[in-house]
Amino acid sequence: MSKFLAEKHGGLAPYIPGEQPKDTQYIKLNTNESPFSPPPSVAKVLADEGELLRLYSDPENTRLTSMLAETLGVKNDQVLVTNGSDEGLNFAFMAFCDGKRGMAFPDISYGFYAVFAKLYGIPAKKIPLKADFSIDPQDYIGLDENIVIANPNAPTGLALSLTQVESIVKGNPDRVVIIDEAYVDFGGESAVSLVDKYENLLVTQTFSKSRSLAGARLGMVVGQAHLIADLKAMKDSTNPYNVNRLTAAAGCAVLQEKEWFEGNVKEIVSTREWTATELKKLGFTVLPSKANFVFAKSERVAGRVLYEKLKEKGVLVRHFDKDGIREFNRVTIGSRAEMQTFLVKVKEVLEEGK
Ligand SMILES: *Cc1c(COP(=O)(O)O)cnc(C)c1O
């Protein structure tokens, strides 16, 4: 930190993204990207849109917004398109929290929530998970803080039912409840269906996990128009052209590929179930995941050791050096072939440990 950094940023603890190795030899199962390339239609629209790059992008994101609204069954003014869903979350922290109005979230969840809280000097209330790593909705009723919950949660992969989510939204009528649905397409129940009923609900989703556009940075927030207008004010006060032309065009193209999308999701889900079964055969404890990753641990090898040995063998997974989950690794579901190799390497590590 330079001597010029403002004093209020003294305690900053920036988000540490998963490794993005420059040498491509790794089987990359560490940041929950899709193993599938975007459909060919994306390359085509990018070539056309490239011609227009001298012009600013549409600050209203009119086309993508209305396509998304139609896909999700909501109105145009109930959707804000963002530069990754991280940006939507950022706007929500900015808009609805301050030094007095804090944010509550599970103590084991997406690391960015604590980062935003620190950045803005927002008190963070970290609510422990239950012993089985699930979220107890009862812990989230009548809070003083706004609330953000990843559903399915990361890195556990466990999901709340729609009824449980609704109880939280209903139980905090004067607080904003944000449901982060980065992984919802892999088996969760979306709270978008509740948006018309609750004036305090926001839902974020992303094109990064199930729609193969992590590198394009595209996300969305859905909620009633008054909340979306507040978020839009944050956007227009920081970065009005937040979604670039190429990304918007890619997003529109991908949204039209319904069969491609559904096929990929189905494939990931079946590969996830197969991987979980195989890991259990090797003696692993595997949490029941509704996401595109599994969270698993073995009595036979420490979490960090498994992570390091797999890396030596060319397979990258995610290890969190954090109390309560240190023995686990989070493993993104790749292609069937990648998961086969992953399992071979896991077996090798277990053998070596004997
Ligand atoms: C990946 C992820 C995000 C961020 O996704 P982007 O759209 O790529 O910014 C948000 N929340 C959770 C829980 C995630 O895992």
Side-chain angles (χ1 to χ4, degrees):
M1 276 173 196
S2 81
K3 66 178 183 183
F4 302 104
L5 186 68
E7 208 174 302
K8 66 174 180 177
H9 292 315
L12 217 55
Y15 182 70
I16 304 166
E19 296 160 87
Q20 298 291 353
K22 300 298 174 291
D23 40 0
T24 50
Q25 71 219 355
Y26 287 104
I27 292 186
K28 209 174 159 304
L29 308 177
N30 68 329
T31 50
N32 299 341
E33 291 134 329
S34 174
F36 307 115
S37 297
S41 56
V42 167
K44 200 176 158 298
V45 296
L46 290 185
D48 295 342
E49 198 66 23
E51 303 277 317
L52 296 170
L53 279 180
R54 71 186 179 82
L55 300 172
Y56 280 110
S57 58
D58 172 11
E60 305 293 328
N61 275 300
T62 315
R63 177 152 180 256
L64 184 52
T65 302
S66 59
M67 283 180 76
L68 275 172
E70 196 185 317
T71 306
L72 296 165
V74 298
K75 295 181 210 76
N76 288 7
D77 62 3
Q78 295 179 322
V79 180
L80 181 71
V81 177
T82 55
N83 189 316
S85 57
D86 286 341
E87 190 186 48
L89 295 164
N90 181 22
F91 291 155
F93 275 76
M94 239 191 242
F96 305 117
C97 296
D98 58 22
K100 284 184 228 129
R101 174 57 40 82
M103 187 70 97
F105 47 88
D107 64 342
I108 293 169
S109 191
Y110 186 40
F112 229 132
Y113 306 148
V115 173
F116 288 133
K118 267 253 162 74
L119 174 64
Y120 297 122
I122 293 164
K125 182 185 171 82
K126 298 178 187 173
I127 301 179
L129 297 178
K130 292 201 285 187
D132 65 358
F133 296 98
S134 67
I135 290 168
D136 186 347
Q138 287 306 327
D139 294 339
Y140 293 82
I141 304 298
L143 299 190
D144 285 336
E145 298 81 7
N146 293 320
I147 297 167
V148 58
I149 292 176
N151 190 45
N153 196 14
T156 63
L158 301 181
L160 292 169
S161 70
L162 189 57
T163 316
Q164 289 175 313
V165 169
E166 183 165 9
S167 72
I168 295 170
V169 178
K170 203 175 186 168
N172 296 277
D174 297 317
R175 300 292 178 267
V176 179
V177 178
I178 303 151
I179 306 297
D180 175 351
E181 295 187 348
Y183 301 104
V184 75
D185 296 323
F186 302 105
E189 292 176 272
S190 177
V192 166
S193 60
L194 300 177
V195 154
D196 277 329
K197 200 166 158 192
Y198 294 100
E199 62 169 11
N200 61 326
L201 171 63
L202 283 174
V203 179
T204 61
Q205 291 187 5
T206 178
F207 282 67
S208 296
K209 313 287 165 51
S210 58
R211 295 185 191 269
S212 302
L213 289 183
R217 312 303 303 126
L218 186 59
M220 72 202 90
V221 192
V222 185
Q224 288 192 9
H226 62 123
L227 291 181
I228 295 298
D230 289 343
L231 295 177
K232 193 164 178 295
M234 300 300 117
K235 174 190 84 94
D236 290 334
S237 302
T238 51
N239 192 8
Y241 308 104
N242 63 332
V243 174
N244 73 74
R245 279 183 173 274
L246 299 180
T247 293
C252 291
V254 154
L255 272 186
Q256 283 161 307
E257 302 275 357
K258 208 162 172 263
E259 267 175 49
W260 167 86
F261 168 72
E262 284 167 3
N264 287 353
V265 165
K266 219 168 141 192
E267 174 76 16
I268 294 289
V269 169
S270 81
T271 304
R272 177 187 72 206
E273 295 311 306
W274 176 77
T275 304
T277 305
E278 294 300 307
L279 282 171
K280 285 179 196 162
K281 285 187 198 161
L282 295 173
F284 277 79
T285 301
V286 187
L287 300 190
S289 171
K290 296 273 195 217
N292 67 338
F293 55 82
V294 289
F295 202 47
K297 71 168 178 179
S298 166
E299 302 292 329
R300 291 165 66 188
V301 57
R304 168 154 289 280
V305 173
L306 179 59
Y307 157 77
E308 281 167 358
K309 290 200 167 175
L310 284 175
K311 188 171 175 184
E312 278 167 26
K313 293 173 185 291
V315 179
L316 263 191
V317 299
R318 190 86 186 260
H319 177 256
F320 298 91
D321 195 15
K322 186 178 160 124
D323 288 346
I325 55 171
R326 199 163 274 126
E327 296 312 321
F328 283 82
N329 277 287
R330 192 193 68 189
V331 183
T332 304
I333 302 303
S335 66
R336 185 64 76 118
E338 286 174 325
M339 301 322 283
Q340 265 155 356
T341 306
F342 159 75
L343 286 161
V344 168
K345 303 296 178 188
V346 169
K347 269 181 222 160
E348 284 177 18
V349 173
L350 295 178
E351 297 291 319
E352 287 163 16
K354 276 186 181 159

